[in-house]
Amino acid sequence: MNLIYYLILGFLTAILGALPLGTTNVAVINTTLKETIQSALKIVYPAAIAEVILVLIALYANATLLAFIDHNIWVQYSIVVILLVLGAYLFFKKNKDMHHTKRKLKIPKPLLGFILGMVNPAVLMYWLVAITFLNKKIMHLDLSINDTLLLLFLIGVFFGKVVTLYGFGKFSHQLSLKTHHISTKVNQIIGVLLAIVSIVQFIKIVYV
């Protein structure tokens, strides 16, 4: 049962992190519109591999980060403020029109996908927060867990990223017309969730 649990949580956590419209999503949509979904997959798979690497980096940093947070109350309050500010930013964020985006530099699609996926501080921050949350509230998740469980979690992350980006590509024609509204709605939902987490965390610090 544990095996499926780690696989599903990796899958769902990756989907949640990949839903907000970012550079990788836009690259997949634009490539599908200009070429085919098969061409876009050359971006999708390397981006998913990059995501797995970011998760491993976040897992490596998480143990040190958790100890530091537990022993410094000001960090806990800072996290509350950061989550609240980030939630408000996403809720009120105005998305730019993606239609006139042009790549001046010609980069091979696999390399482009890997770079867009890897050089992404926002995604790394997401995984640091997500792993901390999963570790404290849902399941034991660090580099000391059973290798099979860790591998299954990472496989879930990989396929969660692939499925989400593939979905963006598959529905690119509809999304190209409605991306602004869909992305705004997704950002608002995630913004509200972050604000709720921030408030709950504040209550825990003060009253628990």
Side-chain angles (χ1 to χ4, degrees), residues 55-68:
V55 172
L56 286 170
I57 292 170
L59 282 168
Y60 181 79
N62 192 252
T64 305
L65 190 65
L66 277 177
F68 184 71

Side-chain angles (χ1 to χ4, degrees), residues 18-29 93 116 120 165 168 183:
L19 280 176
L21 190 68
T23 51
T24 309
N25 309 57
V26 172
V28 169
I29 292 171
K93 179 184 176 185
L116 292 177
N120 202 328
L165 291 178
F168 272 96
S183 179

Side-chain angles (χ1 to χ4, degrees), residues 38-160:
Q38 283 70 32
S39 294
L41 286 174
K42 294 176 183 178
I43 295 174
V44 170
Y45 292 126
I49 292 170
E51 187 96 356
V52 170
I53 294 172
L54 287 181
V55 172
L56 286 170
I57 292 170
L59 282 168
Y60 181 79
N62 192 252
T64 305
L65 190 65
L66 277 177
F68 184 71
I69 289 171
D70 286 338
H71 290 88
N72 293 275
I73 192 70
W74 66 268
V75 178
Q76 297 178 40
Y77 281 111
S78 298
I79 290 172
V80 169
V81 173
I82 290 169
L83 288 173
L84 196 59
V85 170
L86 184 58
Y89 170 75
L90 287 173
F91 188 84
F92 294 108
K93 179 184 176 185
K94 302 291 184 184
N95 290 291
K96 296 178 181 178
D97 189 354
M98 71 167 192
H99 289 295
H100 303 294
T101 305
K102 293 182 180 178
R103 277 206 319 272
K104 293 181 180 178
L105 185 63
K106 187 69 175 176
I107 302 175
K109 290 182 180 66
L111 179 60
L112 176 66
F114 186 79
I115 291 172
L116 292 177
M118 194 71 191
V119 187
N120 202 328
V123 173
L124 179 59
M125 183 59 66
Y126 166 78
W127 279 110
L128 282 169
V129 173
I131 289 169
T132 301
F133 177 79
L134 290 172
N135 225 338
K136 282 182 170 288
K137 301 296 180 186
I138 299 177
M139 65 185 188
H140 180 50
L141 182 62
D142 58 38
L143 292 175
S144 70
I145 65 172
N146 181 280
D147 289 343
T148 304
L149 295 178
L150 179 59
L151 180 62
L152 284 169
F153 183 81
L154 295 175
I155 289 172
V157 169
F158 178 84
F159 283 106

